[in-house]
Amino acid sequence: MFFSYSDIVNACSVEALTREMSIAFSTNIKALSTTAEKTLIYNDHQQDEGFISMPVLDRLHELYINKVGSIFARNQGDTLPTIHAQVLAFCGRTGKPLAILDGKAVTNLKCAAISAYVTDMCAKSDAQILAVIGAGQQARQQIKAVLTVRDIQKIKLYNRSSEALHTFRQEILSDYPFIKVEVCSSIAKTIDHADIVGTATSSRVPIDLFRDLKPDIHINCMGGHSCSAREIPQEVLEHSFLIVEDRETAVVEAGALHQNATEVFELHLQDRSKLQSQQTIFSSTGYALLDAITVAKILKLTGKNENNAYGNKENISVSNSIA
């Protein structure tokens, strides 16, 4: 069974997957899984091109997946995507192949849902202004994520390309005609008075100083990072309540300042009112177990997964904003 991009979008909403993640985290899914180290094989001597493998065994859902793909820089005029990816799914109980799923769709849905979950836990309940920096796929997922859990009245946008920014604005107005959309001339103006910020750029240097932020602002940082460079200044990360998918992965990929971060799997143990009263940052580096939860939900909704891992936990109540 092959699930195309449209198959996945039609099968599962961000809201449904956000609820599923909340349930899985309360079930201590990480302790019931084994995630192998991400493998990168570079193409010849090109250190920015190659192939990737991200396997995980999710025992809660009796599911094994491996997200495999390629990352290749494109010359001007080359219409091929930079990234190609597919997710292979097998039954963890019988070893039977279950499906091949479009990797881009799984990744986008996963990123939107985990951002929605973290935003719901951390952003103040009356947040009204969302700032988005970037105009690519992840910027679009950030809007889906935040609008799933908060009643946003205004979206402020910034991107270096005015053409991409105009296209992005028109898409938002078409999809969400009830929301005011403002295009800003600088990042400082974009984040001014924002309650929630989503950064989704490829920059390896801080994109702004991020001064004068609200003391209770929440930031979803989904863009560029490495151990020595990042789009959010280090001092901002150091003075915020930091959240990651997996500490070990975050330290390896984004630096030692993530070693005391709280994992998304632990977030439900935190005092929500305290979280929403302080500056919080979700520093995302990716984690394959979240892809497994996503695939499990898609297979369940389409009737392709006969395993009912949760039993009567389907009716566990979660936050009113995503229930």
Side-chain angles (χ1 to χ4, degrees), residues 2 7 10 22 26 51 90 115 154 185-186 192 196 222 231 269 274 277 295 318 323:
F2 176 73
D7 291 335
N10 293 330
S22 179
S26 69
F51 303 89
F90 296 79
S115 292
K154 182 178 182 180
S185 59
S186 69
D192 185 38
I196 302 169
M222 311 299 288
E231 62 177 2
L269 302 174
K274 185 175 180 180
S277 66
V295 171
V318 294

Side-chain angles (χ1 to χ4, degrees), residues 1 3 17 20 24 29-30 32-36 54-67 87-101 106 288-310:
M1 174 67 67
F3 288 85
L17 182 56
E20 190 83 358
I29 188 172
K30 190 174 183 183
L32 299 172
S33 68
T34 301
T35 303
M54 299 172 62
V56 58
L57 176 59
D58 172 2
R59 294 182 181 85
L60 179 64
H61 296 99
E62 295 185 329
L63 183 69
Y64 169 82
I65 72 159
N66 192 1
K67 184 161 71 173
V87 180
L88 313 178
F90 296 79
C91 176
R93 175 169 42 83
T94 67
K96 177 184 176 181
L98 297 175
I100 300 173
L101 303 93
V106 170
L289 180 54
L290 299 177
D291 293 292
I293 298 172
T294 304
V295 171
K297 184 63 174 179
I298 294 167
L299 296 180
K300 184 187 298 184
L301 289 172
T302 56
K304 300 303 179 183
N305 189 355
E306 56 198 39
N307 303 321
N308 184 10
Y310 290 134

Side-chain angles (χ1 to χ4, degrees), residues 6 15 20 44 49-50 57 113 121 138 140 154 160 162 197-198 202 204 212 228 233 242 266 289 306 316-317 320 322:
S6 60
E15 182 179 12
E20 190 83 358
D44 295 330
E49 294 185 351
L57 176 59
M121 292 294 296
Q138 282 307 314
R140 287 162 170 78
K154 182 178 182 180
R160 288 182 300 177
S162 58
V197 175
S202 59
R204 287 296 191 267
D212 302 321
S228 59
L242 197 56
E266 307 164 335
L289 180 54
E306 56 198 39
I316 290 178
S317 62
N320 290 336
I322 61 174

